[in-house]
């Protein structure tokens, strides 16, 4: 292996281990040797990559950027070597997946858990959040995204759809007249997902009929779990993903409002950076997630409530 490649691999291990000493022990060399090589890399790049202390070595902003780029190059190289060596069916290495918080906890985490059991050579980190527009900058190998895709250089695999529904608590439905048409929704308060939102337009369809309903409210939360509690507590109606409320609807704690009208469903994809050699760990995760989603009633076109 070329010396530059060796130093790059050493640098990535220091970032991942968080310690020069730990990497030196791993390689069976003196810590000063690791330090000198990292310093040589910094000299070559004319930038500080690590903040060193007696116990920890943490990457600078430039170090994080360099690490993410080198990590991806090393992974692509490993994928190429695996293909050439005929090891394409064995997931290995490090896999970082991004996903929305509540959706990822319910649907992605179980897939990752089973993947880990089946692939002992694989390390997985599930990063829950939003705003993963630049996967390289975020250090992600793949991301689960819900919603319409913008123009992108990312490769997308459609997993399924996320049907949406208007819900109310059963207690709320007993206390107030249940809307019989989209136009009736304006008389009811809504709980919104976006902070600061007080007004929204919801599109409904029934056969060839299309209707937009304007709704308002005084309550918002940026967590599906929190919204569920707000709705159950009688704070108002909510327009959101069916999967977050399907169990409450089946148990009778909530009711689906306007079940004869269909709300717009959002597509769900797994995306990853375009590359000539797709790592098997990314491909297999996408396939496993697609298979798991196919078995989820609340992620399918035919999912209806009533």
């Amino acid at each position: 292996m070329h010396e530059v490649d060796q130093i790059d691999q050493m640098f990535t291990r220091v970032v991942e281990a968080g310690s020069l000493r730990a990497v030196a022990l791993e390689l069976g060399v003196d810590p000063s040797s690791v330090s000198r090589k990292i310093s040589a890399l910094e000299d070559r790049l004319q930038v500080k990559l690590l903040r060193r202390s007696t116990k920890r070595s943490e990457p600078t902003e430039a170090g994080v950027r360099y690490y993410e780029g080198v990590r991806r190059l090393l992974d692509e190289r490993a994928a190429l070597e695996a293909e050439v060596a005929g090891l394409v069916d064995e997931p290995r290495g490090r896999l970082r997946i991004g996903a929305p918080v509540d959706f990822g906890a319910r649907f992605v985490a179980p897939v990752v858990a089973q993947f880990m059991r089946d692939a002992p050579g694989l390390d997985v980190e599930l990063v829950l959040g939003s705003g993963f527009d630049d996967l390289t900058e975020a250090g992600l190998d793949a991301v689960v995204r819900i919603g319409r895709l913008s123009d992108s250089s990312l490769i997308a695999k459609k997993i399924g759809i996320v049907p949406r529904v208007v819900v109310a608590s059963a207690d709320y439905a007993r206390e107030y007249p249940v809307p019989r048409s989209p136009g009736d929704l304006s008389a009811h308060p809504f709980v919104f997902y976006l902070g600061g939102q007080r007004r929204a337009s919801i599109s409904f369809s029934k056969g060839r009929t299309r209707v937009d309903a304007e709704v308002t409210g005084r309550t918002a939360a940026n967590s599906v779990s929190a919204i569920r509690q707000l709705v159950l507590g009688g704070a108002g109606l909510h327009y959101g993903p069916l999967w977050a409320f399907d169990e409450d609807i089946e148990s009778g704690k909530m009711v689906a409002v306007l079940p004869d009208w269909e709300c717009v469903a959002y597509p769900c994809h797994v995306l990853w950076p375009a590359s000539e050699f797709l790592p098997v760990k990314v491909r297999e995760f996408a396939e496993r997630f697609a298979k798991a989603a196919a078995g989820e009633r609340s992620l399918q076109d035919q999912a209806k409530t009533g």
Side-chain angles (χ1 to χ4, degrees):
M1 181 182 297
H2 194 278
E3 183 178 2
V4 172
D5 293 335
Q6 290 179 327
I7 295 176
D8 281 344
Q9 284 197 347
M10 184 180 292
F11 171 72
T12 62
R13 286 299 303 126
V14 170
V15 172
E16 291 165 358
S19 167
L20 290 166
R21 184 175 296 276
V23 174
L25 289 173
E26 180 183 308
L27 298 176
V29 298
D30 190 271
S32 62
S33 174
V34 177
S35 180
R36 283 195 302 272
K37 289 184 178 180
I38 298 299
S39 294
L41 175 61
E42 292 175 325
D43 290 342
R44 177 165 62 86
L45 298 176
Q46 294 291 291
V47 67
K48 192 74 171 175
L49 298 175
L50 291 176
R51 287 186 291 268
R52 299 173 175 83
S53 70
T54 54
K55 294 184 178 180
R56 296 284 298 173
S57 294
E58 297 183 349
T60 62
E61 183 178 351
V64 171
R65 187 61 181 257
Y66 189 71
Y67 164 78
E68 290 169 351
V70 169
R71 178 75 270 172
R72 189 167 303 283
L73 290 173
L74 291 173
D75 286 345
E76 290 184 0
R77 178 172 179 170
L80 171 59
E81 291 177 353
E83 181 175 354
V84 172
L87 301 176
V88 70
D89 293 327
E90 185 179 341
R92 60 176 64 187
R94 175 176 168 273
L95 175 64
R96 295 187 84 236
I97 305 164
V101 178
D102 297 281
F103 184 89
R106 173 163 172 179
F107 295 109
V108 183
V111 174
V112 169
Q114 184 60 55
F115 198 7
M116 294 290 290
R117 287 193 289 270
D118 296 339
L122 189 66
D123 294 333
V124 180
E125 182 178 353
L126 180 57
V127 184
L128 300 181
S130 57
F132 301 128
D133 295 326
D134 189 326
L135 269 64
T136 300
E137 185 174 335
L140 298 173
D141 298 291
V143 66
V144 176
R145 190 169 294 168
I146 298 168
R148 296 177 182 85
L149 299 179
S150 58
D151 292 337
S152 172
S153 61
L154 300 176
I155 305 300
K157 177 180 177 64
K158 187 173 182 180
I159 300 301
I161 67 162
V162 180
R164 297 175 71 82
V165 65
V166 176
V167 293
S169 71
D171 291 340
Y172 184 98
R174 282 189 288 267
E175 186 173 354
Y176 301 99
V178 176
R180 295 181 178 276
S181 71
D184 295 338
L185 294 175
S186 61
H188 297 265
F190 267 71
V191 178
F192 295 114
Y193 182 79
L194 296 177
Q197 186 176 13
R198 296 293 179 265
R199 183 180 302 274
S201 178
I202 305 174
S203 296
F204 294 89
S205 63
K206 181 192 288 187
R208 295 183 178 180
T209 302
R210 301 288 186 273
V211 177
D212 290 334
E214 298 294 326
V215 299
T216 60
R218 298 183 297 115
T219 312
N222 64 347
S223 161
V224 173
S225 299
I227 287 173
R228 175 179 174 271
Q229 293 300 324
L230 287 167
V231 173
L232 288 173
L237 280 59
H238 178 67
Y239 168 61
L242 172 62
W243 62 261
F245 312 106
D246 54 354
E247 293 179 359
D248 289 319
I249 294 172
E250 290 184 8
S251 70
K253 293 180 180 179
M254 290 188 184
V255 296
V257 178
L258 303 176
D260 295 333
W261 290 83
E262 185 176 344
C263 300
V264 175
Y266 291 167
C268 176
H269 294 84
V270 173
L271 299 98
W272 58 85
S275 173
E276 186 175 355
F277 299 100
L278 174 63
V280 64
K281 58 189 177 184
V282 174
R283 185 198 68 202
E284 185 158 339
F285 164 72
E287 292 175 350
R288 284 171 175 262
F289 185 43
K291 183 177 181 180
E296 294 285 351
R297 180 174 176 269
S298 58
L299 300 181
Q300 303 304 316
D301 282 308
Q302 66 269 24
K304 299 290 182 183
T305 59

